[in-house]
Every structure is written in structure tokens, then in C-alpha cells.
Amino acid sequence: MRIYIYRGGEKLVGRSGVGQAIRHQQECLRRSGVPTSEGWSRDTAAIHVNTVLPDSVFAALGAKLRGRKVVWYGHSTMEDFRSSFKGSNALAPLFRRWITFCYGLGDVVLTPTEYSRQLLEGYGLKKPVYSISNGVDTAFFAPDPARRSVFRRRYGLGETERVVVSVGHMIARKGLPEFLELARRMPEARFLWFGWTNPKLIPAELAREIQEAPANVTFPGYVCREELRDAYCGADVFAFLSREETEGIVVLEALACGIPTVLRDIPVYGGWLEDGKNVYKASSDGAFQRIVMGLLDKSLPDLTAAGRAVAESRSLERVGERLQEIYLKERILPPLPAALPQKRAKA
């Protein structure tokens, strides 16, 4: 039996965490021995839906007409829709009603964390909601000192120059204003923000802040995963100051690469990322500055090994195992046959 990974709308979300999650799902299933397809076939057991675009609704309804299961991934919440694009705050209540309708079409709803699961259940969903990480490729995203020089040559950075990076859409919710403020407070360091958003979607106030960014800030735009890996391995600090997340794939990537990480102290990280144990957390501009300076000066304890362990606990292999558990519990797939014992070679 196969899982149909529905890719409608991927051109719109391909450069976002949702697009990354779609690719992760296919790889998780491949590594765990579950066949996938990109269309309907006689042996399709269920469809994975990841977006809340109108075409996804039709895909789910088509699955129901065929008598197949719908597994809907709840990547979006009303809470993380706010402070994103022009008009998002005004549209947030309507967006909640829409995603509740969409997720309600699923036989099973999957969402990255316990925090986002509780939010979705609070919307009144009647279908079972499970938390399951989006995962991270810990073989690809891994510490590699050689990439430091590659990254620094690419952006004209000296080997001893202090560098802070962040990754995400250029929106307020991702903590871009706070990142710019951090750069103003630390003119002796270089700051790079990786990611791109259509300027037409950026509110005027944030567009002004970007235009007036300090001279020590660089916006390389959207880069491929290889270049992003170089940045994680070559910078000194990863500062992800997002105000709201359902998980944060880039956080897992950074931790997997062994870069010291500072996060905003928000509920989504509760229970799996602990301040002073595997990451550093803060809630104000002054606290962000103190932590980043401590990490650059190496006056704070090195937590990167513990951070890497968190990433390994959410590897694609681990996520694939968790996905199979949910499939079996919800009778989406029958148990996979056990591997046959190999015959001993004759002496």
C-alpha cells in the first residue's frame, strides 16, 4: 500500500517550512520502507495534505469519494498567521475558521508539537490530532569545520569576524525587527538574514525598517540548503527570535549543525528545548544582546552537543517510525512485514 504525497500548491510554499515538510515526509517514508506516490493508484491507502489552499480541499474530497484516508498536516495556526503579511491580523479570525474546516476534512490531523496540537484541539476539531515533528536530516545537517571557510569566503567575512545568522521569511512574526535591533546594539558583529518574501506582501512599517537596516546587516535572500548548511556551520551564533512557531525546522537544522542557538522564550519550545541545557532563551532586546555577546565571547557554557542530541531525537528516521505508529493505530496501513532473516554464508 502506498501513501500519496499531495504536492498541490508546492510552487507557493516550496521555499517555506511547509515545502520543506513535504519533502521530509517523502524521505521519512522512504527510509522507513513505506512506498509513496505523487498520484492516485490502485494501492493508494491514504493521501497526505499539507496546505490549506482550495485545491487541497478538492484533493481531500476526492480521496473521500475513493474511500481513502486523508492525513492532514496542521502546519498553520491562527496564532502564527498573525503578524505575517499585509492584513494578516485583521484576517486571522477568518483564517482560523478556514483552517478548522480544512483540518476537519482529515481522518487524522498531524501537527509538529504538543503546543500546536493543543491549539488545534482548542479550535474544536473532532478528529484525532497527533503531534509529530517535521524532522531534520541529521546526516546532511551536521557539524563540519571545513564549511566555515566556505561560508566566510562566499560573503567576504574574515575568519575571526563575529557572525550572527537567522533564517526565515522577512516578516515581523519571525523576529526580524528584533534581529535588526540586535544588530544596532552590536555594530562590531556581522548579521546575516537568510530568506525572502515578496516585497508586495511586506507591511510598509517593516519595509521601512528593512530599508533602514544597520550597515552590519546583510540580506542574502533565499539560498539552497547546501549554502544554508554552510551558514549554520560557519557562523558563530544562530539567533532565531520568532514570536510564534508550530515547531521551527530551521531551529532543528541549526542544532543539528552544532551552532550555538538563542531563541525567544515562547510556548512552542516547552518540553523539548530547555534554557541553559540545549539552547539559550530570552524575551527582551537587552537579554538577547547579553546572551549573544556571551556566546561570541565564549563566556557562556557550550550547549551544542546537547542541541545536536535534540536534533537526533527528531531525525527523519525517528519521525518515520512515529509516523508508522500513527498509521497502525488509525488503521491507515497494515503492519509492514518483518524483514526475513538472512541466510548465513557457507564457509
Side-chain angles (χ1 to χ4, degrees):
M1 300 296 285
R2 296 179 180 273
I3 300 295
Y4 172 15
I5 308 291
Y6 181 66
R7 293 183 176 275
E10 191 173 13
K11 288 184 178 180
L12 293 176
V13 302
R15 293 185 171 186
S16 70
V18 176
Q20 184 79 309
I22 294 172
R23 294 186 285 273
H24 281 187
Q25 287 162 35
Q26 186 154 19
E27 184 62 16
C28 284
L29 293 172
R30 185 191 70 79
R31 295 187 187 188
S32 59
V34 178
T36 63
S37 67
E38 295 189 11
W40 291 109
S41 60
R42 289 184 179 181
D43 61 348
T44 299
I47 183 174
H48 273 203
V49 181
N50 283 270
T51 69
V52 291
L53 299 170
D55 64 282
S56 294
V57 171
F58 289 113
L61 293 175
K64 291 184 178 296
L65 288 173
R66 291 176 170 87
R68 313 296 171 82
K69 296 277 190 177
V70 177
V71 179
W72 207 306
Y73 271 79
H75 297 292
S76 300
T77 65
M78 178 186 71
E79 287 74 9
D80 76 357
F81 181 72
R82 291 193 184 111
S83 299
S84 53
F85 309 108
K86 285 181 180 177
S88 60
N89 289 350
L91 292 172
L94 184 61
F95 182 73
R96 169 174 165 164
R97 292 176 62 184
W98 170 250
I99 63 175
T100 301
F101 165 72
C102 291
Y103 299 158
L105 294 175
D107 295 287
V108 178
V109 179
L110 306 183
T111 192
T113 56
E114 277 297 299
Y115 169 72
S116 56
R117 182 186 66 79
Q118 291 169 10
L119 286 180
L120 296 186
E121 287 187 340
Y123 295 173
L125 287 173
K126 304 301 181 184
K127 303 299 174 62
V129 183
Y130 294 91
S131 62
I132 177 171
S133 174
N134 286 311
V136 60
D137 188 341
T138 52
F140 182 86
F141 290 100
D144 186 347
R147 299 190 182 282
R148 179 180 176 89
S149 297
V150 173
F151 163 70
R152 289 173 179 261
R153 282 198 304 271
R154 181 178 291 126
Y155 294 101
L157 302 166
E159 281 298 317
T160 60
E161 200 164 1
R162 296 175 169 188
V163 181
V164 181
V165 298
S166 196
V167 182
H169 276 296
M170 298 174 72
I171 56 179
R173 196 257 297 172
K174 290 289 185 181
L176 179 53
E178 293 85 346
F179 188 79
L180 296 177
E181 175 59 24
L182 188 61
R184 287 189 192 92
R185 290 167 173 252
M186 302 181 62
E188 72 282 3
R190 292 287 300 276
F191 289 76
L192 286 82
W193 181 284
F194 292 91
W196 181 86
T197 296
N198 188 327
K200 295 179 180 179
L201 300 177
I202 300 176
E205 183 179 350
L206 181 59
R208 260 193 319 273
E209 289 190 57
I210 294 171
Q211 189 173 13
E212 297 170 0
N216 59 333
V217 176
T218 301
F219 295 101
Y222 178 83
V223 299
C224 65
R225 67 198 297 253
E226 287 79 10
E227 289 186 28
L228 193 56
R229 177 180 58 182
D230 291 345
Y232 292 135
C233 292
D236 299 297
V237 174
F238 176 68
F240 189 65
L241 312 182
S242 178
R243 305 169 189 176
E244 182 71 25
E245 292 291 322
T246 53
E247 183 179 38
I249 291 178
V250 295
V251 175
L252 293 176
E253 292 172 349
L255 294 176
C257 286
I259 181 173
T261 297
V262 56
L263 308 171
R264 184 184 297 277
D265 191 0
I266 53 177
V268 69
Y269 304 128
W272 61 288
L273 290 175
E274 298 182 43
D275 181 35
K277 182 177 179 180
N278 38 44
V279 296
Y280 287 98
K281 297 180 184 179
S283 300
S284 68
D285 291 336
F288 291 138
Q289 181 184 1
R290 286 192 298 273
I291 292 172
V292 171
M293 289 181 67
L295 291 173
L296 292 175
D297 293 337
K298 301 189 185 302
S299 60
L300 290 174
D302 184 353
L303 309 178
T304 55
R308 170 72 186 182
V310 171
E312 289 172 344
S313 74
R314 296 182 175 225
S315 68
L316 297 184
E317 290 79 7
R318 294 282 186 88
V319 174
E321 292 169 4
R322 168 69 172 152
L323 198 49
Q324 286 195 50
E325 291 174 2
I326 296 171
Y327 285 162
L328 293 174
K329 185 174 181 179
E330 295 297 328
R331 299 182 180 180
I332 293 171
L333 283 180
L336 291 177
L340 295 175
Q342 294 183 354
K343 294 181 179 180
R344 292 185 179 180
K346 294 182 178 180

